[in-house]
Amino acid sequence: VTQLALDGVYMLQLWLATAGISRTPPLRARTPLASIAESASVHSPLASSALTAVSSHPVVTRNEYCSWFAKGEATDEQVKDLVVQFSVFSNLFLLAQLNKVINSPTLEGAREGKEILANEIGVVFKPKKQKTAELAREAAEKGFDPNVVSVTGSVEGGVFSHRAAHFEWLCDVGKDMGLTFDELGKRRHGSEATLHFCDALYRIYGSEDLSTALGASFAIEHWANAGFWDQLIEGFELLNAKRPAGAKRYPMGFWRFHQALEAQHAAHTMDELEEAIEDGLISDEVRFRQAAHEMLDACSIFWEGLEASRQGRPYSVTTLKAR
């Protein structure tokens, strides 16, 4: 049941492959949300209605910013804007995940929440059949490269390295663009739209109310499978192909790791929701639905803020709420 929360997080929380997989694999074919429903045993009215509502939300059906970015037309300044705002989201997500751990109603849930948190701050997942010593040697040899560290397994028996922290992978992207550590990840660098999204994660995703937290997790997982990772990678690959000779290419590890991570989770989300329903963990269906919708609204605002910024027009969350 708490695996639903685990999968949902692996967005914000945000990454590619187990050792031995090609460093530059082809883009995965994402699983359409409708296919997820067909492949899962969806019987309950709540699960069916939840998937329908999430699948039809604008952030899932038409993400204008990511559709534009996928064309590979972004300028260096527009890419910097994306990296800075994503870095704020990545760093502040740690607070939301810690809040989720603290508010977990069960020991199992708290432990699964810590799996996410530990991986975010630099503990590499250990696949079940791999020995810790072997993992440590391989990861160190490859510099804890996000292109090759595992997206499966557990932090139990895993290996910690500062270089495996997701935020540091994003700092690598910023560094090659001339951005310093102090220019990334701080709340003061976040736009109003980005901070609204991060604060919603802390409040809704990390809620003490389990119906609310599960609704947010369900929404986040489906948002993460809506294709935006694919679109960002498509855009970066096109931009890299156009870089002049001798110019640094944008590092792809951060983005590819999260793309692959989502491929591990998407097909199981509906079954996990059914388990949560059967176990009686969703005591208030109204709060569950409201949380899912509000979480997706906050996701939309994050991308809308980036869309407004790249167009050079103002964007006010306060004004938006007042309408």
Side-chain angles (χ1 to χ4, degrees):
V1 167
T2 50
Q3 182 66 31
L4 173 63
L6 178 63
D7 284 348
V9 154
Y10 270 133
M11 29 102 15
L12 250 162
Q13 285 137 342
L14 267 260
W15 318 21
L16 154 65
T18 56
I21 292 181
S22 169
R23 293 173 60 87
T24 55
L27 290 172
R28 70 176 176 89
R30 62 184 175 90
T31 307
L33 299 186
S35 297
I36 292 175
E38 292 172 2
S39 64
S41 301
V42 181
H43 301 295
S44 71
L46 176 58
S48 298
S49 64
L51 181 63
T52 298
V54 168
S55 301
S56 60
H57 194 281
V59 77
V60 173
T61 59
R62 58 177 188 279
N63 187 326
E64 293 182 4
Y65 177 84
C66 289
S67 295
W68 163 79
F69 193 87
K71 297 176 182 177
E73 299 173 353
T75 65
D76 285 348
E77 287 304 310
Q78 288 168 333
V79 174
K80 280 185 179 181
D81 187 34
L82 169 65
V83 171
V84 170
Q85 296 309 310
F86 226 96
S87 75
V88 174
F89 156 59
S90 179
N91 240 6
L92 295 188
F93 173 74
L94 299 178
L95 298 178
Q97 186 58 28
L98 178 58
N99 201 35
K100 195 170 192 70
V101 171
I102 292 171
N103 287 330
S104 174
T106 66
L107 178 60
E108 179 189 20
R111 285 178 173 176
E112 291 187 347
K114 286 188 286 185
E115 287 272 340
I116 296 165
L117 188 60
N119 182 246
E120 282 281 338
I121 65 174
V123 181
V124 175
F125 288 131
K126 184 185 83 66
K128 185 176 294 186
K129 296 182 179 180
Q130 188 175 29
K131 295 182 179 179
T132 299
E134 179 186 358
L135 172 67
R137 184 182 67 256
E138 289 185 357
E141 287 175 352
K142 296 169 182 175
F144 295 90
D145 187 339
N147 282 297
V148 295
V149 296
S150 178
V151 295
T152 62
S154 171
V155 296
E156 286 277 2
V159 179
F160 171 80
S161 172
H162 291 296
R163 290 294 303 132
H166 296 193
F167 177 68
E168 289 208 17
W169 293 339
L170 199 48
C171 285
D172 291 341
V173 181
K175 182 179 180 181
D176 284 350
M177 302 183 68
L179 293 168
T180 66
F181 178 84
D182 193 51
E183 293 175 308
L184 295 166
K186 308 293 190 294
R187 185 177 178 88
R188 65 177 181 270
H189 300 315
S191 67
E192 183 186 359
T194 296
L195 296 182
H196 174 84
F197 176 42
C198 294
D199 291 345
L201 280 168
Y202 183 87
R203 176 174 54 86
I204 308 171
Y205 171 77
S207 175
E208 188 174 2
D209 178 76
L210 188 56
S211 296
T212 298
L214 288 175
S217 293
F218 179 77
I220 283 291
E221 173 60 22
H222 282 289
W223 163 64
N225 189 52
F228 80 86
W229 292 113
D230 300 348
Q231 290 174 309
L232 294 180
I233 289 173
E234 288 170 15
F236 275 114
E237 289 185 335
L238 288 172
L239 290 169
N240 277 338
K242 295 189 292 187
R243 301 292 280 177
K248 288 186 177 180
R249 293 174 174 261
Y250 298 113
M252 300 296 295
F254 174 91
W255 316 105
R256 286 195 175 280
F257 179 90
H258 288 82
Q259 180 199 43
L261 193 62
E262 284 309 319
Q264 301 293 324
H265 305 142
H268 307 293
T269 308
M270 291 305 298
D271 285 335
E272 288 153 7
L273 175 57
E274 289 288 4
E275 290 176 14
I277 295 170
E278 291 174 6
D279 290 347
L281 295 183
I282 301 175
S283 60
D284 191 318
E285 294 185 10
V286 173
R287 284 204 299 267
F288 176 89
R289 291 190 179 95
Q290 288 177 338
H293 187 77
E294 190 175 355
M295 197 70 257
L296 291 179
D297 283 350
C299 292
S300 284
I301 286 174
F302 172 72
W303 293 115
E304 288 169 7
L306 282 165
E307 175 69 2
S309 178
R310 71 104 177 170
Q311 293 180 357
R313 57 180 173 82
Y315 184 88
S316 171
V317 177
T318 304
T319 302
L320 187 67
K321 288 181 178 179
R323 293 176 183 173

